[in-house]
Amino acid sequence: MEKIKVGISSCLLGNTVRYDGGHQQDRYITDTLGQCFAWLPVCPEVEYGLGVPREAMHLVGAPESPRLVTIHTNVDHTEGMRAWAKKRLKYLEQEGLCGFIFKSRSPSSGMTGVVVHTPSGMPNGESVGIFADAFMKYFPDVPVIDDRLLHDPNSRETFIERILTLSRSLPPCCLSPLFPSGHSCRP
């Protein structure tokens, strides 16, 4: 049996794609969940065409319709990122993803609580990253979580159970890494 395919923010796998040339590898993701899931890494900013390293970006404007803007030069990448996301989502549709793990607080991939700034740089509320927003609207039934919530046992269990339900199969591995308490998701 094949592993269940799950999309993931590329930096969480240890890929050096962040704006500063670094990564945010999460060993729980790579070492534990990686036993059961086949990862499809996505880095919106690199795939959109920005280099590594690159100028940091943040969300600016109204929380209900933020713009993706570079911090120092104020280059607005919102429309370009949305156009890229539209194409990428059509590709991802063919991949049969059963879930997605986003990078928390990312202006492109954060699924909740991404700080939105005023043009002068002051916090102005919270929103969703540009790619994460597009993904969740395009795939409303695909389970999503971010790396921060993944470390909350209840959120993690709900996410994994939703993936298993969506995939309509059990992972081809021992469930103990996913449910260390001995909980079984078998019907």
Side-chain angles (χ1 to χ4, degrees):
M1 292 176 61
E2 292 184 32
K3 291 181 177 182
I4 297 170
K5 194 177 290 187
V6 174
I8 188 167
S9 292
S10 187
C11 63
L12 296 174
L13 296 176
N15 298 322
T16 54
V17 294
R18 288 180 51 84
Y19 74 95
D20 59 1
H23 62 80
Q24 290 289 307
Q25 183 174 14
D26 184 313
R27 293 277 181 200
Y28 178 75
I29 290 171
T30 58
D31 298 350
T32 303
L33 294 181
Q35 295 177 47
C36 301
F37 299 143
W39 302 119
L40 196 152
V42 177
C43 179
E45 294 163 17
V46 170
E47 293 180 29
Y48 161 63
L50 301 175
V52 177
R54 60 185 168 275
E55 183 178 356
M57 296 188 287
H58 60 182
L59 297 180
V60 175
E64 61 277 1
S65 59
R67 310 292 298 174
L68 182 63
V69 179
T70 56
I71 291 177
H72 300 295
T73 59
N74 293 315
V75 175
D76 189 327
H77 289 284
T78 310
E79 297 312 317
M81 182 63 74
R82 285 184 179 147
W84 168 84
K86 186 176 180 180
K87 291 177 191 172
R88 186 66 158 119
L89 293 170
K90 289 192 181 298
Y91 169 78
L92 291 175
E93 188 172 31
Q94 307 305 311
E95 290 297 316
L97 294 180
C98 290
F100 203 103
I101 301 174
F102 290 104
K103 175 65 188 111
S104 61
R105 297 188 209 62
S106 164
S108 60
S109 296
M111 60 174 265
T112 61
V114 181
V115 176
V116 179
H117 298 84
T118 64
S120 65
M122 298 300 297
N124 189 35
E126 295 181 346
S127 191
V128 178
I130 301 298
F131 174 69
D133 184 56
F135 183 96
M136 292 185 296
K137 287 177 179 171
Y138 196 86
F139 298 110
D141 297 325
V142 172
V144 296
I145 197 167
D146 67 31
D147 59 313
R148 184 179 43 87
L149 287 172
L150 192 61
H151 291 283
D152 170 69
N154 293 327
S155 297
R156 178 176 59 239
E157 184 170 321
T158 299
F159 174 68
I160 291 169
E161 286 178 346
R162 289 189 63 218
I163 286 175
L164 296 174
T165 299
L166 184 61
S167 73
R168 299 190 193 282
S169 66
L170 294 175
C173 59
C174 174
L175 292 176
S176 62
L178 300 179
F179 298 106
S181 66
H183 170 84
S184 174
C185 60
R186 293 183 189 270

